[in-house]
Amino acid sequence: MPENKATHWPANPPKLHHTTFTTLRMAQMVEWYGLVCGLRPVFQSDEASWLTNDEANHRIAFLSPPGLKHPTDKGHETGIHHTAFEFGTFDMWINNYIRLRDHGIVPFLQLDHGITMSVYYQDPDGNGVEIQVDGFGDWADSSEWIANAKEFAENPIGTWFDPEKLVAAREAGLSFQEIHERTRAGEYLPEHIPEDIFLPEVW
């Protein structure tokens, strides 16, 4: 039998299933992820909770083991910058922005990356949470673009935008594609552009 040399990757790769966070704010975290991402607890206690917003048994877990300490400089420490959730359509995405805004929850970053249009929030512990919609409406097209577009290679971070200007553009009758193109062209820039993409320090 010939030897298989194609062993540098699994034949059937595993799919990303969940992310686990440690926290000293269990109740606040469970409530916040329910409001922002529609995650409901399958099991919840003061020590550990498992939440899902689809058919999986959990997508986010929270643990609060004894001896846990808050970070000292979370915004400038290595590790996960954010966890992302995606809506299937632009309307769903912008409607969710409006819903959260009306609850007093606003993003600290708003970027059109080309592959996605994204707003970034912080949970009660200061972790980043991205809520996005695919910029092409199709993963195959956005994958092709990120792999081959000179535009992305030259500017992978993307273009800043003011989400309220996107809301107004949709109310004026513009389509998703028109809004996306105008955002990339810099027509909806915010009054103040952040100096960096660090997580704001909440400690």
Side-chain angles (χ1 to χ4, degrees):
M1 293 289 292
E3 179 185 358
N4 181 14
K5 295 182 179 180
T7 60
H8 293 287
W9 51 83
N12 295 288
K15 298 183 183 300
L16 181 63
H17 186 275
H18 70 274
T19 303
T20 298
F21 298 96
T22 52
T23 184
L24 292 171
R25 297 185 173 94
M26 184 67 71
Q28 288 176 266
M29 292 285 275
V30 171
E31 180 180 4
W32 191 89
Y33 276 86
L35 177 62
V36 173
C37 306
L39 286 152
R40 59 176 178 79
V42 178
F43 179 93
Q44 180 179 354
S45 73
D46 292 336
E47 295 77 26
S49 299
W50 287 265
L51 291 72
T52 188
N53 62 1
D54 62 13
E55 69 280 0
N57 49 49
H58 71 291
R59 292 300 188 186
I60 294 286
F62 301 121
L63 303 177
S64 187
L68 192 62
K69 299 177 182 178
H70 287 307
T72 57
D73 188 16
K74 188 180 187 70
H76 295 85
E77 294 174 339
T78 58
I80 294 177
H81 181 273
H82 66 270
T83 303
F85 297 83
E86 184 174 70
F87 278 103
T89 69
F90 174 79
D91 284 328
M92 293 177 185
W93 176 76
I94 202 72
N95 287 341
N96 191 66
Y97 162 78
I98 295 169
R99 180 182 68 87
L100 293 178
R101 178 203 66 192
D102 292 347
H103 277 280
I105 298 175
V106 294
F108 68 94
L109 291 176
Q110 305 88 219
L111 282 163
D112 187 326
H113 300 292
I115 51 170
T116 65
M117 299 185 76
S118 304
V119 284
Y120 294 81
Y121 300 88
Q122 278 189 290
D123 69 22
D125 275 344
N127 303 301
V129 174
E130 176 184 4
I131 307 292
Q132 68 181 41
V133 61
D134 191 277
F136 293 79
D138 183 276
W139 283 352
D141 288 341
S142 59
S143 295
E144 186 71 21
W145 188 83
I146 191 175
N148 297 296
K150 181 180 179 181
E151 181 183 355
F152 181 80
E154 292 176 342
N155 180 20
I157 296 301
T159 306
W160 304 96
F161 65 83
D162 180 342
E164 290 299 325
K165 293 181 180 179
L166 270 58
V167 172
R170 185 183 66 163
E171 291 177 351
L174 273 69
S175 68
F176 172 35
Q177 182 177 357
E178 290 172 315
I179 293 172
H180 181 43
E181 290 174 354
R182 293 189 180 194
T183 302
R184 294 290 291 170
E187 292 190 29
Y188 304 129
L189 292 174
E191 183 177 350
H192 301 290
I193 296 178
E195 296 180 359
D196 54 53
I197 60 169
F198 289 127
L199 294 170
E201 194 58 65
V202 300
W203 307 103

